[in-house]
Amino acid sequence: MIHPEKKRLRRSMMFLNCQKPGLIKDPYIYKPDSMILDLEDAVAENQKDAARFSLFHALREIDYHGVERVVRINGLDTGFWKEDIMAAVAGGCDAIRIPKTERPEDVRLVEEVIELAETRFDRPIGSVLIMAALESARGIMKALDICESSERLLGVALSGGDYTKDLQTHITGTGVELMGARQNMLIAARAAKVQCFDTVYTNLDDMEGFRKDVETIHLMGFDGKSIINPRQIQIVHDIFTPSEKDIIFAEKVVKEIDDKKKKGIGVFTVDGKMIDIAFYDGAMRTISLAKASGVYKGDL
Ligand SMILES: CC(C)(COP(=O)(O)OP(=O)(O)OC[C@H]1O[C@@H](n2cnc3c(N)ncnc32)[C@H](O)[C@@H]1OP(=O)(O)O)[C@@H](O)C(=O)NCCC(=O)NCCSC(=O)C[C@@](O)(CC(=O)O)C(=O)O
Ligand SMILES: [Mg+2]
């Protein structure tokens, strides 16, 4: 059975450092679609146990008001990741984000430990989803295998900081250094029918640059973006939520295709634009997104 939350709306996925109780206590007030409770790079090496302890109690005790709770575990080359999974699953997390994923076997290894934790902590088998972050040239080249590695895999995310380090370049703010990775990963995700998320934008003083970055990945076809700060949420939601104009056009396309099909007409125009059956799924996707985003008022 496909997990009911596998395709949920994930426009914004906000990182929170589990080392900082002030950040993890009430992030739901900012209304991101998902939050990523981080045990990996934001947490200092000698604070890993304390961060994991805070994570467990936060998951157990705080009502996050429906915001998805994803936990980024430490890398599989560390001594921390198994304990991270145990604490996250015992606490009640919705998904595990694997950092620096390079092979489909990485996902399967994590899946085994998740299943062990689900059994031990009396959670239904298959209830915890997985997302894989691709942070290296090797990870990007293996994107399709990773996307097809597990039924639990909700999607993949690009991690630009580590990826550009591996590529021997750096984040420029123009996106030029990320072009190949973004495109490759997105094509792999679409081929495997899983979601695809872009990397964080770290310059909080450049909101115009951030907006352009989000516009670019939205046009490319991504499902959403990892973010680091509440000030980035509204911009992402504005760009990823269908506008009224888009919704009205999508409704016309769906209704006209249904109507013309009955009349035996295959190609016609809507508002001056050529339409045929190839446009149906895209229009339905706009409507589904509008519904999931809470802005749909129509009758489809
Ligand atoms: C950057 C900064 C320190 C700035 O803080 P500032 O305090 O100056 O910000 P302000 O805007 O002034 O905050 C206004 C109010 O919002 C609160 N507030 C801020 N941020 C909040 C938040 N995230 N969640 C909830 N609340 C928040 C704040 O507490 C304040 O609350 P209040 O005092 O009550 O008014 C802060 O944002 C922050 O820590 N971000 C997360 C950083 C992080 O986790 N990095 C690791 C993940 S990336 C990575 O690892 C690289 C990667 O792996 C990526 C990949 O995988 O994609 C790769 O390879 O590329
Ligand atoms: Mg990273």
Side-chain angles (χ1 to χ4, degrees), residues 165-265:
K165 187 175 72 178
D166 196 38
L167 227 63
Q168 301 178 11
T169 179
H170 59 277
I171 297 288
T172 63
T174 64
V176 70
E177 68 286 358
L178 299 175
M179 267 168 27
R182 280 173 165 169
Q183 197 71 73
N184 195 66
M185 200 176 92
L186 188 61
I187 294 169
R190 290 293 171 252
K193 301 201 176 349
V194 297
Q195 292 182 332
C196 194
F197 307 97
D198 189 46
T199 187
V200 297
Y201 190 89
T202 53
N203 187 350
L204 292 173
D205 289 337
D206 182 8
M207 294 313 265
E208 213 25 62
F210 178 67
R211 179 178 285 281
K212 284 194 187 126
D213 195 52
V214 181
E215 279 167 354
T216 300
I217 59 123
H218 175 245
L219 286 176
M220 287 181 78
F222 279 83
D223 293 289
K225 189 166 175 72
S226 305
I227 58 169
I228 53 163
N229 188 279
R231 283 185 276 142
Q232 297 180 320
I233 295 173
Q234 197 53 51
I235 292 176
V236 175
H237 288 193
D238 284 349
I239 292 168
F240 272 89
T241 305
S243 66
E244 206 179 329
K245 196 172 149 212
D246 292 339
I247 298 168
I248 291 171
F249 184 72
E251 278 185 317
K252 278 192 201 168
V253 168
V254 169
K255 288 180 177 171
E256 285 291 313
I257 290 177
D258 285 342
D259 182 55
K260 294 286 192 297
K261 203 156 90 183
K262 286 183 207 140
K263 295 177 179 154
I265 300 169

Side-chain angles (χ1 to χ4, degrees), residues 51 54 61-62 81 86 98 110-111 113 140-141 160 170-171 186 195 217 222 226 229 250 273 280 289 291-292:
S54 297
E61 282 148 35
I62 298 170
W81 68 276
M86 288 296 159
I98 313 172
V110 166
E111 182 165 34
V113 179
I140 293 296
M141 295 311 288
H170 59 277
I171 297 288
L186 188 61
Q195 292 182 332
I217 59 123
F222 279 83
S226 305
N229 188 279
K273 299 184 186 76
Y280 196 83
L289 256 176
K291 282 182 187 170

Side-chain angles (χ1 to χ4, degrees), residues 2 14 23 26 32 34 66 84 102 130 134 146 151 161 213 248 276 286 299:
I2 295 181
M14 185 166 79
L23 293 190
D26 56 5
S34 307
D84 294 345
E102 298 213 313
I130 297 176
L134 311 186
I146 292 169
E151 258 307 300
D213 195 52
I248 291 171
D276 62 19
T286 300
D299 55 1

Side-chain angles (χ1 to χ4, degrees), residues 40-41 72 100 135 159 161-162:
E40 198 219 10
D41 283 354
R72 180 166 76 167
K100 303 179 175 70
E135 315 200 29
S159 291
D162 280 292

